[in-house]
Amino acid sequence: MSVLPGGLRVCVESVPQYGRGLAAVALTVAAGGDDDPAGRHGTAHLVEHLMFPRSGGGSADPTGEGYAALVAGAGGVCNAETHRDHTVFHTTVPAESLPDALAWEARRLLGFAPTEDVIRTETDVIGEEIRGAGDAGRSWESALGALYPGSRDSFGTAAELAGITAGEVEAFFRAHYTARRMVLSVVGDVDPAGVMAVVRAVFAGVGVIRVAGEAGAAEGIRAAGEARAAEEARTAREIRTAPLPSGRPGVAVGHPLPDPVADRPAYLAQAVLAQVLGRSRLPALARSARDGHRLTSATVTCGYHGQWLASAAPDLTLAVLGRAPGTEVDAAVGIWRSVLRAVAEGPLPEAEHRRAVNSLLVAWHRQADSLPTRAVALGRDALLLPGSAGPDALPAELRRTTPAEVAAAARALLEGPATVTELAPQARTVPTARAHTVLTARAGTELAPQARTVPIARAGTELAPQKGTVG
């Protein structure tokens, strides 16, 4: 890890055993949905889109190709995701093209100046993404908003974006895309000294604050978000949120997670608990009757839409339970709590605990040689999870998790606050013009075909960033 004079943190990892002639670049920025200005929900998502100009031109790009075309021309792929608390851009290219890719990355940061026409085009694209998102993630966003008022989803609101101007977009970019709020990570078949020489040359002016007060404003926004995240519920309570339309009857129960920085062992115990519940306890229960009531399905996700260790606090565990006809919401919640009590009262059988930990380790090892996954993980650790020992330390941390800690994690869910959201089959009453209220996992811009990662319905198995929606 190095820090450039302007404050940009740069992490370079040489892993030729994974790289095989490739290199991945990730730019992680402390700007997400929570940072959207009042009345302009979706600004962070829009900036993410605008970081992929459709055309270039000028002496730096005489062919007029945009960023994605340049990457594709080098035989690479690129992608981006907007989250609640950050945005990440990642690109994979042949190692021989890495100097060019770094130069292109710096150029789009230095040359960010979208026109009104481009902004209108991209807001229309975002509107289509929102309308096409369906119900995915809505219960997650509902739970987060109830437990932490003020938290925003990453997609945005089409109506608020409709009137956004180039000046507003550039002001957001200048305030948030500053060197001290960004981490550049490079992973692969690379020479760290050579990479740093290129980075120092092409990123020298990136993220420089050019307007007085911008740094203070940006840090004030982030500080306010962190203060809100640190505000925990004082007493155990159940928060009932408005019902959500769903294809099948169900109920979603949300619980706050421990801080992954301040209380990492407890956080990892929650990840293991999600595996125990989602892979053994709940599926078995869904196939059997209990007091005359039945669950037709049950999934548990730990972390931001199933991506654990992908966000700073606040974060959630979310259980989504399918209800058979005649099973009321309270009965389904009671079944969920009875399963938690059974784990809390323990002790958890050693074999069951080991299977849960092993399933997380298998998921980690399956993705350990993914260059963009490693690059993104290093950037997130540096930006969101300071003090983390890095992705390669995670297996040992998971193995140290004990059955007693998993039992304590279940007790924490029982004793802490929770949200309950009924999922009810009904005709959608929200008119098309207000389709922006449909929330989903997160915003994303996919510029090239990439393999999809593990679906979030598989509780706790997601270690890598899921790819965003087609932008």
Side-chain angles (χ1 to χ4, degrees):
M1 178 76 73
S2 302
V3 182
L4 299 190
L8 176 69
R9 284 165 284 177
V10 184
C11 180
V12 185
E13 183 183 34
S14 177
V15 283
Q17 69 273 26
Y18 299 142
R20 305 181 189 90
L22 298 175
V25 178
L27 180 74
T28 311
V29 186
D34 278 356
D35 300 291
D36 289 340
R40 288 291 183 255
H41 184 203
T43 304
H45 185 191
L46 176 59
V47 169
E48 176 223 303
H49 274 242
L50 296 173
M51 280 284 285
F52 293 91
R54 305 298 174 178
S55 64
S59 59
D61 185 8
T63 64
E65 294 180 296
Y67 180 86
L70 290 168
V71 171
V77 291
C78 55
N79 207 336
E81 304 165 14
T82 299
H83 288 244
R84 175 189 59 77
D85 55 2
H86 71 284
T87 301
V88 60
F89 306 86
H90 45 98
T91 299
T92 305
V93 294
E96 63 186 23
S97 299
L98 177 60
D100 290 334
L102 290 170
W104 300 332
E105 185 73 72
R107 186 189 308 159
R108 64 173 172 169
L109 289 165
L110 291 167
F112 185 84
T115 64
E116 295 286 353
D117 287 345
V118 173
I119 289 173
R120 296 283 76 80
T121 297
E122 294 305 323
T123 54
D124 289 344
V125 171
I126 290 173
E128 289 302 316
E129 288 183 1
I130 295 171
R131 283 187 284 275
D135 294 333
R138 298 178 73 235
S139 56
W140 200 99
E141 301 289 356
S142 175
L144 184 73
L147 288 168
Y148 301 97
S151 294
R152 313 292 292 276
D153 71 276
S154 55
F155 261 84
T157 303
E160 294 185 6
L161 286 178
I164 198 168
T165 66
E168 290 174 304
V169 171
E170 290 191 48
F172 182 93
F173 179 86
R174 289 195 306 268
H176 293 86
Y177 280 61
T178 62
R180 296 183 183 278
R181 294 166 60 83
M182 297 191 294
V183 175
L184 180 73
S185 46
V186 181
V187 174
D189 193 359
V190 301
D191 168 41
V195 171
M196 285 307 306
V198 174
V199 170
R200 290 190 181 95
V202 300
F203 278 82
V206 168
V208 174
I209 298 171
R210 292 181 169 83
V211 179
E214 284 182 356
E219 293 310 314
I221 293 171
R222 177 57 55 182
E226 291 174 350
R228 182 178 65 248
E231 182 182 353
E232 299 179 355
R234 265 75 62 182
T235 58
R237 65 188 187 278
E238 187 175 277
I239 305 170
R240 295 280 175 143
T241 65
L244 294 175
S246 175
R248 298 176 181 178
V251 60
V253 186
H255 302 269
L257 282 172
D259 190 312
V261 176
D263 202 358
R264 191 175 179 91
Y267 182 98
L268 294 178
Q270 290 289 351
V272 177
L273 174 63
Q275 289 292 310
V276 170
L277 297 173
R279 288 185 176 272
S280 57
R281 298 298 176 102
L282 286 170
L285 191 60
R287 293 190 295 267
S288 63
R290 178 180 175 84
D291 298 331
H293 304 294
R294 291 178 59 86
L295 298 181
T296 58
S297 63
T299 61
V300 184
T301 53
C302 176
Y304 186 63
H305 295 285
Q307 296 186 83
W308 52 290
L309 291 181
S311 293
D315 213 341
L316 300 176
T317 278
L318 184 73
V320 179
L321 313 173
R323 295 182 290 120
T327 303
E328 300 298 329
V329 168
D330 287 343
V333 174
I335 295 172
W336 164 248
R337 291 191 173 277
S338 71
V339 175
L340 287 177
R341 279 194 296 271
V343 177
E345 294 168 358
L348 194 67
E350 180 62 34
E352 187 178 17
H353 174 81
R354 187 169 59 253
R355 282 195 301 270
V357 171
N358 285 344
S359 67
L360 296 178
L361 292 174
V362 167
W364 182 89
H365 285 293
R366 285 176 57 201
Q367 304 201 34
D369 62 350
S370 166
L371 293 186
T373 295
R374 293 183 69 87
V376 168
L378 289 171
R380 282 174 172 163
D381 282 356
L383 191 70
L384 305 173
L385 308 173
S388 169
D392 286 333
L394 184 58
E397 292 179 301
L398 285 171
R399 290 189 183 97
R400 286 195 293 269
T401 303
T402 66
E405 288 174 323
V406 175
R411 287 194 297 273
L413 297 190
L414 284 168
E415 297 168 0
T419 63
V420 174
T421 305
E422 179 182 2
L423 307 178
Q426 61 189 66
R428 188 182 298 278
T429 57
V430 181
T432 302
R434 295 188 59 196
H436 58 265
T437 57
V438 178
L439 308 181
T440 189
R442 69 195 163 282
T445 301
E446 183 164 311
L447 280 303
Q450 290 190 336
R452 299 282 169 172
T453 51
V454 181
I456 60 174
R458 298 293 298 274
T461 59
E462 182 59 72
L463 294 179
Q466 288 187 329
K467 303 302 177 278
T469 54
V470 174

